[in-house]
Amino acid sequence: MSVAAIGVYAHRLALRLLLAAAAAAMAWLPATACQAREPGNHIRALIPGAKQVGAGRLTWFGFHAYDAALFADHGRFVENAPLALELTYARAFKGRDIAERSISEIRKLGLVEDREAAEWLAVLVNLFPDVQAGDRLAGVAPARGAAQFFHNGRLLGVIDNDRLKQAFFAIWLDPRTSAPDLRNRLLGAIAETR
């Protein structure tokens, strides 16, 4: 191997390590407050009394990744009741990266068996599109039945696997989430600051 090839290899390895460290550190950065908003018609159609429970911002090494908002009937989160989670992206992401990150977070929570992870990843890869800054992805979960997913208010598809549906929303709502400050803001436990 030439000196130039070793240099390129070392550079690529260093970049991979940096990206891995950045991904691991993302969970430790606090979420910040974001403005209250009304649920879209696609959310109201499935949860007629939907109001915002809470909202927060996820940052990654100071870079704004997305704003998240949680909606529930009358603005009160109750476990096993209908809810909607909407992410408004601050930058472009590939749909496959969103799906892979989702499975990674579900794995951290211990909510997927190894034999299921590839199947669940395939479902999410087929569901999530590439997003641009300003795009919104929303998941609306009824108390029972399939969760519906929307891109800028347009139906993308459904998740009818109940375990995957619960695991997906647990990424943000489980007490063991890698973003506890964001969870607190979504659940309204931290007052918004304006």
Side-chain angles (χ1 to χ4, degrees):
M1 187 180 283
S2 72
V3 172
I6 291 171
V8 169
Y9 175 78
H11 176 73
R12 286 183 182 159
L13 179 60
L15 183 58
R16 283 186 188 145
L17 290 172
L18 178 62
L19 289 174
M26 182 173 96
W28 296 102
L29 292 174
T32 58
C34 56
Q35 291 190 342
R37 60 178 182 243
E38 293 295 315
N41 291 334
H42 56 291
I43 294 172
R44 279 202 187 103
L46 298 168
I47 308 174
K51 292 189 180 188
Q52 184 174 297
V53 177
R57 175 170 289 172
L58 185 72
T59 57
W60 182 29
F61 281 99
F63 292 103
H64 178 189
Y66 59 76
D67 290 334
L70 180 66
F71 301 95
D73 194 33
H74 302 295
R76 290 188 307 270
F77 173 75
V78 177
E79 287 205 36
N80 301 316
L83 64 88
L85 180 72
E86 186 170 65
L87 306 181
T88 303
Y89 287 86
R91 55 191 60 246
F93 289 99
K94 297 282 185 198
R96 180 167 192 89
D97 293 339
I98 295 169
E100 288 175 350
R101 181 69 183 179
S102 298
I103 293 298
S104 174
E105 291 296 323
I106 290 169
R107 277 183 184 274
K108 287 179 189 174
L109 292 170
L111 298 175
V112 62
E113 301 289 331
D114 287 340
R115 60 182 169 75
E116 294 176 301
E119 178 186 325
W120 288 11
L121 177 60
V123 169
L124 297 182
V125 165
N126 288 326
L127 184 64
F128 295 136
D130 296 345
V131 296
Q132 302 300 316
D135 281 359
R136 292 182 177 190
L137 289 182
V140 184
R144 292 183 185 86
Q148 296 185 34
F149 288 81
F150 299 85
H151 178 229
N152 296 328
R154 183 181 59 81
L155 182 65
L156 289 170
V158 301
I159 291 179
D160 58 6
N161 177 319
D162 200 48
R163 287 191 62 239
L164 173 55
K165 176 182 88 171
Q166 291 176 1
F168 180 80
F169 289 98
I171 294 169
W172 294 271
L173 301 176
D174 190 287
R176 300 166 298 159
T177 181
S178 64
D181 190 52
L182 177 57
R183 176 184 183 268
N184 288 338
R185 289 183 185 282
L186 288 173
L187 296 177
I190 298 176
E192 293 292 318
T193 56
R194 299 208 202 291

